[in-house]
Each structure stands twice: as C-alpha cells, then as structure tokens.
Coordinates of all heavy atoms in Angstrom, one line a residue:
M1 N 35.3 -12.4 -0.7 CA 35.9 -11.8 -1.9 C 35.8 -10.3 -1.8 O 34.7 -9.8 -1.7 CB 35.2 -12.3 -3.2 CG 35.8 -11.8 -4.4 SD 35.2 -12.8 -5.8 CE 33.4 -12.2 -5.9
S2 N 36.9 -9.5 -1.7 CA 36.8 -8.1 -1.7 C 37.0 -7.4 -3.0 O 38.0 -7.8 -3.8 CB 37.9 -7.6 -0.6 OG 38.5 -6.5 -1.2
M3 N 36.1 -6.7 -3.5 CA 36.1 -6.1 -4.8 C 36.9 -4.7 -4.7 O 36.8 -3.9 -3.7 CB 34.7 -5.8 -5.3 CG 34.0 -7.1 -5.6 SD 34.7 -7.8 -7.0 CE 33.6 -9.2 -7.3
Q4 N 37.5 -4.4 -5.8 CA 38.3 -3.2 -5.8 C 38.1 -2.6 -7.2 O 38.1 -3.3 -8.2 CB 39.8 -3.5 -5.6 CG 40.6 -2.3 -5.3 CD 42.0 -2.6 -4.9 OE1 42.4 -3.7 -4.9 NE2 42.9 -1.6 -4.7
C5 N 37.9 -1.3 -7.2 CA 37.8 -0.6 -8.5 C 39.0 -0.6 -9.3 O 40.1 -0.2 -8.8 CB 37.3 0.9 -8.3 SG 37.3 1.9 -9.8
P6 N 39.1 -1.1 -10.6 CA 40.2 -1.2 -11.4 C 40.7 0.2 -11.9 O 41.9 0.3 -12.2 CB 39.8 -2.0 -12.6 CG 38.4 -1.9 -12.7 CD 37.8 -1.7 -11.3
R7 N 39.9 1.2 -11.8 CA 40.3 2.5 -12.2 C 41.1 3.3 -11.1 O 42.1 3.8 -11.2 CB 39.2 3.4 -12.8 CG 39.6 4.7 -13.3 CD 38.4 5.5 -13.7 NE 37.9 5.2 -15.0 CZ 36.8 5.7 -15.5 NH1 36.0 6.5 -14.8 NH2 36.4 5.3 -16.8
C8 N 40.3 3.4 -9.9 CA 40.9 4.3 -8.8 C 41.4 3.5 -7.6 O 41.8 4.1 -6.7 CB 39.8 5.3 -8.4 SG 38.4 4.6 -7.6
G9 N 41.0 2.2 -7.5 CA 41.5 1.4 -6.5 C 40.6 1.4 -5.3 O 40.9 0.9 -4.2
S10 N 39.5 2.1 -5.4 CA 38.6 2.2 -4.2 C 37.9 0.9 -3.9 O 37.7 0.1 -4.8 CB 37.4 3.3 -4.5 OG 36.4 3.2 -3.6
H11 N 37.6 0.7 -2.6 CA 36.9 -0.5 -2.3 C 35.4 -0.2 -2.1 O 34.6 -1.1 -1.7 CB 37.4 -1.0 -0.9 CG 38.7 -1.7 -1.0 ND1 38.9 -3.0 -1.4 CD2 40.1 -1.2 -0.9 CE1 40.2 -3.3 -1.5 NE2 40.9 -2.2 -1.2
H12 N 35.0 1.0 -2.4 CA 33.6 1.3 -2.4 C 32.8 0.9 -3.7 O 32.5 1.7 -4.5 CB 33.4 2.9 -2.1 CG 33.9 3.4 -0.9 ND1 34.4 4.6 -0.6 CD2 33.9 2.7 0.4 CE1 34.9 4.8 0.6 NE2 34.5 3.6 1.2
V13 N 32.7 -0.4 -3.8 CA 32.2 -1.0 -5.0 C 30.9 -1.6 -4.7 O 30.7 -2.4 -3.7 CB 33.2 -2.1 -5.6 CG1 32.6 -2.9 -6.7 CG2 34.4 -1.4 -6.0
T14 N 29.8 -1.3 -5.5 CA 28.5 -2.0 -5.2 C 28.1 -2.8 -6.5 O 28.4 -2.5 -7.6 CB 27.5 -0.8 -5.0 OG1 27.5 0.1 -6.1 CG2 27.8 -0.1 -3.7
A15 N 27.3 -3.7 -6.2 CA 26.7 -4.5 -7.3 C 25.5 -3.9 -7.9 O 24.7 -3.4 -7.1 CB 26.3 -6.0 -6.8
R16 N 25.5 -3.8 -9.2 CA 24.3 -3.0 -9.8 C 23.1 -3.9 -10.0 O 22.0 -3.4 -9.9 CB 24.8 -2.4 -11.2 CG 25.9 -1.5 -11.0 CD 26.6 -1.2 -12.4 NE 25.8 -0.3 -13.2 CZ 25.7 -0.5 -14.5 NH1 26.4 -1.5 -15.1 NH2 25.0 0.3 -15.2
Q17 N 23.3 -5.1 -10.3 CA 22.2 -6.1 -10.4 C 21.2 -5.6 -11.5 O 20.0 -5.8 -11.3 CB 21.6 -6.4 -9.1 CG 22.6 -7.0 -8.1 CD 21.9 -7.5 -6.9 OE1 21.0 -7.0 -6.4 NE2 22.4 -8.6 -6.4
V18 N 21.6 -5.1 -12.5 CA 20.7 -4.6 -13.5 C 19.9 -5.8 -14.2 O 18.7 -5.8 -14.3 CB 21.4 -3.9 -14.7 CG1 20.4 -3.3 -15.7 CG2 22.2 -2.7 -14.1
G19 N 20.7 -6.8 -14.5 CA 20.1 -8.0 -15.2 C 19.1 -8.7 -14.3 O 18.0 -9.1 -14.7
R20 N 19.4 -8.8 -13.0 CA 18.6 -9.4 -12.1 C 17.2 -8.8 -11.9 O 16.2 -9.4 -12.0 CB 19.3 -9.5 -10.7 CG 18.6 -10.4 -9.7 CD 19.3 -10.2 -8.3 NE 18.3 -10.5 -7.3 CZ 17.9 -11.7 -6.9 NH1 18.4 -12.7 -7.6 NH2 17.0 -11.9 -6.0
K21 N 17.3 -7.4 -11.8 CA 16.1 -6.7 -11.7 C 15.3 -6.8 -13.0 O 14.0 -7.1 -12.9 CB 16.4 -5.2 -11.4 CG 16.8 -4.9 -10.0 CD 17.3 -3.5 -9.8 CE 18.0 -3.4 -8.5 NZ 18.8 -2.3 -8.5
F22 N 15.9 -6.7 -14.1 CA 15.2 -6.8 -15.4 C 14.6 -8.2 -15.6 O 13.6 -8.3 -16.0 CB 16.3 -6.5 -16.5 CG 15.7 -6.6 -17.9 CD1 14.9 -5.5 -18.4 CD2 16.0 -7.7 -18.7 CE1 14.4 -5.6 -19.6 CE2 15.5 -7.7 -20.0 CZ 14.6 -6.8 -20.5
G23 N 15.4 -9.1 -15.3 CA 15.0 -10.5 -15.4 C 13.8 -10.8 -14.6 O 12.7 -11.4 -15.0
A24 N 13.8 -10.3 -13.3 CA 12.7 -10.6 -12.4 C 11.4 -9.9 -12.9 O 10.3 -10.5 -12.9 CB 13.0 -10.2 -11.0
A25 N 11.6 -8.7 -13.4 CA 10.4 -8.0 -13.9 C 9.8 -8.6 -15.2 O 8.6 -8.9 -15.3 CB 10.9 -6.5 -14.2
T26 N 10.7 -9.0 -16.1 CA 10.1 -9.5 -17.4 C 9.7 -11.0 -17.1 O 8.7 -11.4 -17.6 CB 11.2 -9.6 -18.4 OG1 12.5 -10.1 -17.9 CG2 11.5 -8.3 -19.1
G27 N 10.4 -11.7 -16.2 CA 10.0 -13.0 -15.9 C 8.6 -13.0 -15.3 O 7.7 -13.9 -15.6
S28 N 8.3 -12.1 -14.3 CA 7.0 -11.9 -13.7 C 5.9 -11.7 -14.8 O 4.9 -12.2 -14.7 CB 7.0 -10.9 -12.6 OG 7.9 -11.2 -11.6
G29 N 6.3 -10.7 -15.6 CA 5.4 -10.3 -16.7 C 5.0 -11.5 -17.5 O 3.8 -11.8 -17.7
C30 N 5.9 -12.2 -18.0 CA 5.8 -13.4 -18.8 C 5.0 -14.6 -18.0 O 4.0 -15.0 -18.6 CB 7.1 -14.1 -19.3 SG 8.0 -13.1 -20.5
G31 N 5.4 -14.6 -16.9 CA 4.8 -15.6 -16.0 C 3.3 -15.4 -15.8 O 2.5 -16.3 -15.8
T32 N 3.0 -14.1 -15.6 CA 1.6 -13.8 -15.4 C 0.8 -14.0 -16.6 O -0.3 -14.5 -16.6 CB 1.5 -12.2 -15.0 OG1 2.3 -12.1 -13.9 CG2 0.0 -12.0 -14.6
A33 N 1.3 -13.7 -17.8 CA 0.7 -13.9 -19.1 C 0.5 -15.4 -19.2 O -0.6 -15.9 -19.6 CB 1.5 -13.4 -20.2
I34 N 1.5 -16.2 -19.0 CA 1.5 -17.6 -19.2 C 0.5 -18.2 -18.1 O -0.2 -19.1 -18.3 CB 2.9 -18.3 -19.1 CG1 3.7 -17.9 -20.3 CG2 2.8 -19.8 -19.0 CD1 5.1 -18.2 -20.3
G35 N 0.6 -17.6 -16.9 CA -0.3 -18.0 -15.8 C -1.7 -17.8 -16.2 O -2.6 -18.5 -15.8
A36 N -2.0 -16.7 -16.9 CA -3.3 -16.4 -17.3 C -3.8 -17.5 -18.2 O -5.0 -17.9 -18.1 CB -3.4 -15.0 -17.9
A37 N -3.0 -17.9 -19.1 CA -3.4 -19.0 -20.1 C -3.6 -20.2 -19.2 O -4.5 -21.0 -19.4 CB -2.3 -19.2 -21.1
G38 N -2.7 -20.4 -18.2 CA -2.8 -21.6 -17.3 C -4.1 -21.5 -16.6 O -4.8 -22.5 -16.3
A39 N -4.5 -20.2 -16.2 CA -5.7 -20.0 -15.4 C -6.9 -20.4 -16.2 O -7.8 -21.0 -15.6 CB -5.8 -18.5 -15.0
L40 N -6.9 -20.2 -17.5 CA -8.0 -20.6 -18.3 C -8.2 -22.1 -18.3 O -9.3 -22.6 -18.2 CB -7.8 -20.0 -19.7 CG -8.2 -18.6 -20.0 CD1 -8.0 -18.3 -21.4 CD2 -9.6 -18.4 -19.6
S41 N -7.1 -22.8 -18.6 CA -7.1 -24.2 -18.6 C -7.4 -24.8 -17.2 O -8.1 -25.8 -17.1 CB -5.9 -24.8 -19.2 OG -4.7 -24.4 -18.5
G42 N -6.9 -24.1 -16.2 CA -7.2 -24.5 -14.8 C -8.7 -24.3 -14.5 O -9.3 -25.2 -13.9
A43 N -9.3 -23.2 -15.1 CA -10.7 -22.9 -14.9 C -11.5 -24.1 -15.6 O -12.5 -24.6 -15.1 CB -11.0 -21.6 -15.4
K44 N -11.0 -24.4 -16.8 CA -11.7 -25.5 -17.6 C -11.6 -26.8 -16.9 O -12.7 -27.5 -16.7 CB -11.1 -25.6 -19.0 CG -11.7 -24.7 -19.9 CD -11.0 -24.9 -21.3 CE -11.3 -23.7 -22.3 NZ -10.3 -23.8 -23.4
A45 N -10.5 -27.1 -16.3 CA -10.3 -28.3 -15.6 C -11.2 -28.4 -14.4 O -11.9 -29.4 -14.1 CB -8.8 -28.6 -15.2
G46 N -11.2 -27.2 -13.7 CA -12.0 -27.1 -12.5 C -13.5 -27.2 -12.8 O -14.3 -27.9 -12.1
A47 N -13.9 -26.6 -14.0 CA -15.2 -26.7 -14.4 C -15.7 -28.1 -14.7 O -16.8 -28.6 -14.4 CB -15.5 -25.9 -15.6
L48 N -14.8 -28.8 -15.3 CA -15.0 -30.3 -15.7 C -15.2 -31.1 -14.4 O -16.1 -31.9 -14.3 CB -14.0 -30.8 -16.5 CG -14.0 -30.6 -18.0 CD1 -12.8 -31.3 -18.7 CD2 -15.3 -31.1 -18.5
I49 N -14.3 -30.9 -13.4 CA -14.4 -31.5 -12.1 C -15.7 -31.2 -11.5 O -16.5 -32.1 -11.0 CB -13.3 -31.2 -11.2 CG1 -11.9 -31.7 -11.8 CG2 -13.5 -31.9 -9.8 CD1 -10.7 -31.0 -11.2
G50 N -16.1 -29.9 -11.5 CA -17.3 -29.5 -10.8 C -18.6 -29.9 -11.5 O -19.6 -30.0 -10.9
L51 N -18.4 -30.1 -12.8 CA -19.6 -30.4 -13.6 C -20.4 -31.6 -13.1 O -21.6 -31.5 -13.0 CB -19.2 -30.7 -15.0 CG -20.3 -30.5 -16.2 CD1 -20.8 -29.1 -16.2 CD2 -19.7 -30.9 -17.5
A52 N -19.7 -32.6 -12.7 CA -20.3 -33.8 -12.1 C -21.1 -33.4 -10.8 O -22.2 -34.0 -10.6 CB -19.3 -34.8 -11.9
A53 N -20.6 -32.5 -10.1 CA -21.1 -32.2 -8.7 C -22.2 -31.1 -8.7 O -22.8 -30.9 -7.7 CB -20.0 -31.8 -7.7
G54 N -22.4 -30.5 -9.8 CA -23.4 -29.4 -9.9 C -22.9 -28.0 -10.1 O -21.7 -27.8 -9.9
P55 N -23.7 -27.1 -10.4 CA -23.3 -25.6 -10.8 C -22.6 -24.9 -9.7 O -21.7 -24.2 -10.0 CB -24.6 -25.0 -11.2 CG -25.7 -25.9 -10.8 CD -25.1 -27.2 -10.5
M56 N -23.0 -25.1 -8.5 CA -22.4 -24.3 -7.4 C -20.9 -24.7 -7.2 O -20.0 -23.9 -7.2 CB -23.1 -24.5 -6.1 CG -22.7 -23.7 -4.9 SD -22.9 -21.9 -5.2 CE -21.7 -21.3 -4.0
V57 N -20.7 -26.1 -7.1 CA -19.3 -26.6 -7.0 C -18.5 -26.2 -8.2 O -17.3 -26.0 -8.1 CB -19.5 -28.1 -6.8 CG1 -18.1 -28.7 -6.8 CG2 -20.2 -28.5 -5.6
M58 N -19.2 -26.2 -9.4 CA -18.5 -25.9 -10.6 C -17.8 -24.5 -10.6 O -16.7 -24.3 -11.0 CB -19.4 -26.0 -11.8 CG -18.8 -26.0 -13.2 SD -20.0 -26.2 -14.5 CE -19.8 -24.5 -15.3
T59 N -18.6 -23.5 -10.1 CA -18.1 -22.2 -10.0 C -16.9 -22.1 -9.1 O -15.8 -21.5 -9.3 CB -19.2 -21.3 -9.4 OG1 -20.3 -21.4 -10.2 CG2 -18.7 -19.8 -9.4
V60 N -16.9 -22.8 -7.9 CA -15.9 -22.8 -6.9 C -14.6 -23.5 -7.5 O -13.5 -22.9 -7.4 CB -16.3 -23.5 -5.7 CG1 -15.1 -23.7 -4.7 CG2 -17.5 -22.7 -5.0
T61 N -14.8 -24.6 -8.1 CA -13.6 -25.3 -8.7 C -13.0 -24.5 -9.8 O -11.8 -24.5 -10.0 CB -14.0 -26.7 -9.1 OG1 -15.1 -26.7 -9.9 CG2 -14.3 -27.6 -7.9
S62 N -13.9 -23.8 -10.6 CA -13.3 -23.0 -11.7 C -12.4 -21.9 -11.2 O -11.4 -21.7 -11.7 CB -14.4 -22.4 -12.5 OG -15.2 -23.4 -13.1
L63 N -13.0 -21.2 -10.2 CA -12.2 -20.1 -9.5 C -10.9 -20.7 -8.9 O -9.8 -20.0 -9.1 CB -13.0 -19.5 -8.5 CG -14.1 -18.4 -8.9 CD1 -14.9 -17.9 -7.7 CD2 -13.3 -17.2 -9.6
A64 N -10.9 -21.7 -8.2 CA -9.8 -22.3 -7.6 C -8.8 -22.6 -8.7 O -7.5 -22.3 -8.6 CB -10.1 -23.5 -6.8
G65 N -9.2 -23.2 -9.8 CA -8.3 -23.6 -10.9 C -7.6 -22.3 -11.5 O -6.5 -22.3 -11.8
A66 N -8.5 -21.3 -11.7 CA -8.0 -20.0 -12.3 C -6.9 -19.4 -11.4 O -5.9 -19.0 -11.9 CB -9.1 -19.1 -12.6
V67 N -7.2 -19.2 -10.1 CA -6.3 -18.6 -9.2 C -5.0 -19.4 -9.1 O -3.9 -18.9 -9.1 CB -7.0 -18.5 -7.8 CG1 -5.9 -18.1 -6.7 CG2 -8.1 -17.5 -7.8
F68 N -5.1 -20.6 -9.0 CA -4.0 -21.5 -8.9 C -3.1 -21.4 -10.1 O -1.8 -21.2 -10.0 CB -4.4 -23.0 -8.7 CG -3.3 -23.9 -8.4 CD1 -2.7 -23.9 -7.1 CD2 -2.8 -24.8 -9.3 CE1 -1.6 -24.8 -6.9 CE2 -1.7 -25.6 -9.1 CZ -1.2 -25.7 -7.9
G69 N -3.7 -21.4 -11.2 CA -3.0 -21.4 -12.5 C -2.3 -20.0 -12.6 O -1.0 -20.0 -13.0
G70 N -2.8 -18.9 -12.2 CA -2.2 -17.5 -12.3 C -1.1 -17.5 -11.3 O 0.0 -16.9 -11.7
L71 N -1.3 -17.9 -10.1 CA -0.3 -17.8 -9.1 C 1.0 -18.6 -9.4 O 2.1 -18.1 -9.4 CB -0.8 -18.3 -7.8 CG -1.6 -17.4 -6.9 CD1 -2.0 -18.1 -5.6 CD2 -0.7 -16.2 -6.5
V72 N 0.8 -19.8 -9.9 CA 1.9 -20.7 -10.1 C 2.7 -20.2 -11.3 O 3.9 -20.1 -11.2 CB 1.4 -22.1 -10.4 CG1 2.5 -23.0 -11.0 CG2 0.9 -22.8 -9.2
G73 N 2.0 -19.7 -12.4 CA 2.7 -19.1 -13.6 C 3.5 -17.9 -13.2 O 4.7 -17.8 -13.5
G74 N 2.9 -17.0 -12.5 CA 3.6 -15.7 -12.1 C 4.8 -16.0 -11.2 O 5.9 -15.4 -11.4
T75 N 4.7 -16.8 -10.2 CA 5.8 -17.0 -9.3 C 6.9 -17.7 -10.0 O 8.1 -17.4 -9.8 CB 5.2 -17.8 -8.1 OG1 4.1 -17.2 -7.6 CG2 6.3 -18.0 -7.0
T76 N 6.6 -18.9 -10.7 CA 7.6 -19.7 -11.3 C 8.4 -18.9 -12.3 O 9.7 -19.0 -12.2 CB 6.9 -20.9 -12.1 OG1 6.0 -21.5 -11.2 CG2 7.9 -21.9 -12.6
F77 N 7.8 -18.1 -13.2 CA 8.6 -17.4 -14.2 C 9.2 -16.2 -13.5 O 10.2 -15.8 -14.1 CB 7.6 -17.1 -15.3 CG 7.4 -18.3 -16.2 CD1 6.3 -19.1 -15.9 CD2 8.2 -18.6 -17.3 CE1 6.0 -20.2 -16.7 CE2 7.9 -19.6 -18.1 CZ 6.8 -20.5 -17.8
G78 N 8.7 -15.6 -12.5 CA 9.4 -14.5 -11.8 C 10.7 -15.0 -11.2 O 11.8 -14.4 -11.4
V79 N 10.7 -16.2 -10.6 CA 11.9 -16.7 -10.0 C 12.8 -17.2 -11.1 O 14.1 -16.8 -11.1 CB 11.5 -18.0 -9.3 CG1 12.8 -18.7 -8.7 CG2 10.8 -17.5 -8.0
A80 N 12.4 -17.7 -12.2 CA 13.2 -18.1 -13.3 C 13.9 -16.9 -14.0 O 15.0 -16.9 -14.3 CB 12.4 -18.9 -14.4
G81 N 13.1 -15.9 -14.1 CA 13.6 -14.6 -14.7 C 14.7 -14.0 -13.9 O 15.7 -13.5 -14.4
A82 N 14.5 -14.0 -12.5 CA 15.5 -13.5 -11.6 C 16.9 -14.2 -11.8 O 17.9 -13.6 -11.8 CB 15.0 -13.4 -10.2
K83 N 16.7 -15.6 -11.9 CA 17.8 -16.4 -12.0 C 18.6 -16.1 -13.2 O 19.8 -16.0 -13.3 CB 17.5 -17.9 -11.9 CG 17.3 -18.4 -10.5 CD 17.1 -19.9 -10.5 CE 16.8 -20.3 -9.0 NZ 16.1 -21.7 -9.0
L84 N 17.9 -16.0 -14.3 CA 18.4 -15.7 -15.7 C 19.1 -14.4 -15.6 O 20.2 -14.2 -16.1 CB 17.3 -15.7 -16.7 CG 17.7 -15.6 -18.1 CD1 18.4 -16.9 -18.6 CD2 16.6 -15.2 -19.0
G85 N 18.5 -13.4 -15.0 CA 19.1 -12.1 -14.9 C 20.4 -12.1 -14.1 O 21.3 -11.4 -14.4
T86 N 20.4 -12.9 -13.1 CA 21.6 -13.0 -12.2 C 22.8 -13.6 -13.1 O 23.9 -13.1 -13.0 CB 21.4 -13.9 -11.0 OG1 20.3 -13.4 -10.2 CG2 22.5 -13.9 -10.1
E87 N 22.4 -14.6 -13.9 CA 23.4 -15.2 -14.8 C 24.0 -14.2 -15.7 O 25.1 -14.0 -16.0 CB 22.8 -16.3 -15.7 CG 22.4 -17.5 -14.8 CD 23.7 -18.4 -14.6 OE1 24.3 -18.8 -15.5 OE2 24.0 -18.5 -13.3
L88 N 23.0 -13.3 -16.3 CA 23.4 -12.2 -17.2 C 24.4 -11.3 -16.5 O 25.4 -10.9 -17.0 CB 22.1 -11.4 -17.6 CG 21.5 -11.8 -18.9 CD1 20.2 -11.0 -19.1 CD2 22.4 -11.7 -20.1
D89 N 24.0 -10.9 -15.2 CA 24.8 -10.0 -14.5 C 26.2 -10.5 -14.4 O 27.2 -9.8 -14.5 CB 24.2 -9.9 -13.1 CG 23.1 -8.8 -13.0 OD1 23.0 -8.0 -13.9 OD2 22.4 -8.8 -12.0
Q90 N 26.3 -11.8 -14.1 CA 27.7 -12.4 -13.8 C 28.4 -12.6 -15.0 O 29.7 -12.5 -15.0 CB 27.5 -13.8 -13.0 CG 27.1 -13.5 -11.6 CD 26.5 -14.7 -10.9 OE1 26.3 -15.8 -11.6 NE2 26.2 -14.6 -9.6
K91 N 27.9 -12.8 -16.2 CA 28.6 -13.3 -17.3 C 28.7 -12.2 -18.5 O 29.6 -12.3 -19.2 CB 28.0 -14.6 -17.9 CG 28.3 -15.7 -17.0 CD 27.6 -17.0 -17.3 CE 27.8 -18.0 -16.2 NZ 26.9 -19.1 -16.1
V92 N 27.6 -11.3 -18.5 CA 27.6 -10.5 -19.6 C 27.8 -9.0 -19.3 O 28.6 -8.3 -19.9 CB 26.2 -10.7 -20.4 CG1 26.1 -9.8 -21.7 CG2 26.1 -12.1 -20.8
L93 N 27.0 -8.5 -18.3 CA 26.9 -7.1 -18.1 C 28.0 -6.6 -17.2 O 28.6 -7.4 -16.5 CB 25.5 -6.8 -17.4 CG 24.3 -7.2 -18.2 CD1 23.1 -7.1 -17.3 CD2 24.1 -6.4 -19.4
D94 N 28.3 -5.3 -17.3 CA 29.1 -4.7 -16.3 C 28.3 -4.6 -15.0 O 27.5 -3.7 -14.9 CB 29.5 -3.3 -16.7 CG 30.5 -3.3 -17.9 OD1 31.1 -4.5 -18.1 OD2 30.7 -2.4 -18.6
N95 N 28.6 -5.4 -14.1 CA 27.7 -5.5 -12.9 C 28.1 -4.8 -11.7 O 27.5 -4.8 -10.7 CB 27.5 -7.0 -12.6 CG 26.4 -7.2 -11.6 OD1 25.4 -6.5 -11.6 ND2 26.6 -8.1 -10.7
L96 N 29.4 -4.3 -11.7 CA 29.9 -3.5 -10.5 C 30.0 -2.1 -10.8 O 30.5 -1.7 -11.9 CB 31.1 -4.2 -10.1 CG 31.0 -5.7 -9.6 CD1 32.4 -6.3 -9.4 CD2 30.2 -5.8 -8.4
A97 N 29.8 -1.3 -9.9 CA 30.0 0.2 -10.0 C 30.8 0.7 -8.8 O 30.6 0.3 -7.6 CB 28.6 0.9 -10.1
C98 N 31.7 1.6 -9.1 CA 32.5 2.2 -8.1 C 31.8 3.4 -7.6 O 31.3 4.2 -8.3 CB 33.9 2.6 -8.7 SG 34.8 3.5 -7.5
A99 N 31.7 3.5 -6.2 CA 30.9 4.6 -5.6 C 31.8 5.8 -5.6 O 31.2 7.0 -5.4 CB 30.6 4.2 -4.2
D100 N 33.1 5.8 -5.9 CA 33.9 7.0 -5.8 C 34.1 7.6 -7.2 O 33.9 8.9 -7.3 CB 35.3 6.6 -5.3 CG 35.1 6.4 -3.8 OD1 34.2 6.9 -3.1 OD2 36.1 5.7 -3.2
C101 N 34.2 6.8 -8.2 CA 34.5 7.4 -9.6 C 33.4 7.0 -10.6 O 33.5 7.4 -11.8 CB 35.9 7.0 -10.1 SG 36.1 5.3 -10.6
Q102 N 32.4 6.2 -10.2 CA 31.3 5.8 -11.0 C 31.7 4.9 -12.2 O 30.9 4.7 -13.1 CB 30.5 7.1 -11.6 CG 29.4 7.6 -10.6 CD 30.0 8.3 -9.5 OE1 30.8 9.2 -9.6 NE2 29.6 8.0 -8.2
H103 N 32.9 4.4 -12.1 CA 33.3 3.5 -13.2 C 32.6 2.2 -13.0 O 32.4 1.7 -11.9 CB 34.9 3.3 -13.0 CG 35.4 2.3 -13.9 ND1 35.3 2.5 -15.3 CD2 36.1 1.1 -13.7 CE1 35.9 1.5 -15.9 NE2 36.4 0.6 -15.0
T104 N 32.1 1.6 -14.0 CA 31.4 0.3 -14.0 C 32.3 -0.7 -14.7 O 33.0 -0.5 -15.7 CB 30.0 0.4 -14.7 OG1 30.2 0.8 -16.1 CG2 29.1 1.3 -14.0
F105 N 32.2 -1.9 -14.1 CA 33.1 -2.9 -14.6 C 32.6 -4.3 -14.3 O 31.7 -4.5 -13.4 CB 34.5 -2.8 -14.1 CG 34.6 -2.7 -12.6 CD1 34.9 -3.8 -11.8 CD2 34.3 -1.6 -11.9 CE1 35.0 -3.8 -10.4 CE2 34.3 -1.5 -10.5 CZ 34.7 -2.6 -9.8
R106 N 33.1 -5.4 -14.9 CA 32.7 -6.7 -14.7 C 33.5 -7.3 -13.5 O 34.8 -7.0 -13.4 CB 33.0 -7.6 -15.9 CG 32.0 -7.4 -17.0 CD 32.2 -8.5 -18.0 NE 31.9 -7.9 -19.3 CZ 32.0 -8.6 -20.4 NH1 32.5 -9.8 -20.4 NH2 31.7 -8.1 -21.5
P107 N 32.9 -8.1 -12.7 CA 33.8 -8.7 -11.7 C 34.8 -9.7 -12.3 O 34.4 -10.4 -13.3 CB 32.7 -9.6 -10.9 CG 31.4 -9.5 -11.6 CD 31.6 -8.5 -12.7
S108 N 35.9 -9.7 -11.9 CA 37.0 -10.6 -12.3 C 36.6 -12.0 -12.0 O 36.3 -12.2 -10.8 CB 38.4 -10.2 -11.9 OG 38.3 -10.1 -10.5
I109 N 36.7 -12.9 -12.9 CA 36.3 -14.3 -12.6 C 37.6 -15.0 -12.2 O 38.5 -15.2 -13.0 CB 35.6 -15.0 -13.8 CG1 34.2 -14.3 -13.9 CG2 35.4 -16.5 -13.5 CD1 33.8 -14.1 -15.3
E110 N 37.7 -15.3 -11.0 CA 38.9 -16.0 -10.4 C 38.7 -17.3 -9.8 O 37.6 -17.5 -9.2 CB 39.6 -15.1 -9.4 CG 40.2 -13.8 -10.1 CD 40.8 -12.8 -9.1 OE1 41.7 -13.1 -8.4 OE2 40.1 -11.8 -8.9
Ligands
ZN1 ZN1 36.7 3.9 -8.8

C-alpha cells in the first residue's frame, strides 16, 4: 500500500504512531501499578507456600511471588496498551504525516 499526501501529492509520508507510543507508555504504567498489587498477593501466596517449609523458604517464595507478579503485570498491560494505541492510531487519530508539507491526515480505509 503506497501512501500519498492528499495536499501536495508527495510520497514522503511517515506514520506518526502517536497513539501507539502513548498506549504503550500508559499501558506499562498501569501494568506496573497493577503488577505491584499482583506482587503483593504473589508475595502473600509465596509466603503461605513457604510458611509450611520454614522462614528461609518463606522469604524466597515471597520474593519470587512478588517479582513474578510485577513482571507479568507490567508486560501484559504494556502490550495491551500498545495494541490499544495502534487501534487508536488506525481509527481515530491523524496518523500519517507528510515529510514535505507537514500535513497530517488519516490513512484512507480501502
Ligand atoms: Zn504533503
């Protein structure tokens, strides 16, 4: 699919991907916050598992639970945010910019 500027007819058109960047950033932020909450419950779950095996194991399983919860939350929501942002780019925002006249426009849906 070759893009062309509707104003000047130039083919020097680039995708701006504003929504995608925004979505990935906010998604990661939300994900980390939710991941932190998940980390707490992960730590609790780890502590419960470790409780039966003694205090040393309890520390290790708590940490593992916390790290796992944080990672999963951050990654999952970061990816979801980027996807949502891409959707925004494609359907809502002016996602293309002409390198010659700086005109921004939506991709024509054909
Ligand atoms: Zn142009």
Side-chain angles (χ1 to χ4, degrees):
M1 184 167 70
S2 136
M3 290 293 183
Q4 195 175 0
C5 173
R7 183 188 277 174
C8 71
S10 167
H11 287 278
H12 296 145
V13 169
T14 53
R16 297 166 74 216
Q17 298 192 322
V18 180
R20 187 184 154 79
K21 284 171 194 161
F22 179 75
T26 48
S28 298
C30 289
T32 307
I34 293 166
L40 279 180
S41 53
K44 273 184 198 163
L48 276 180
I49 296 166
L51 200 61
M56 185 62 201
V57 178
M58 191 177 112
T59 308
V60 173
T61 50
S62 296
L63 275 177
V67 168
F68 187 73
L71 273 181
V72 169
T75 309
T76 308
F77 284 87
V79 170
K83 275 187 186 161
L84 186 74
T86 304
E87 290 283 299
L88 268 177
D89 278 342
Q90 285 165 354
K91 288 169 185 160
V92 182
L93 303 169
D94 289 344
N95 189 36
L96 296 171
C98 173
D100 288 335
C101 72
Q102 273 74 48
H103 180 57
T104 56
F105 55 99
R106 283 188 214 181
S108 53
I109 293 139
E110 289 172 72

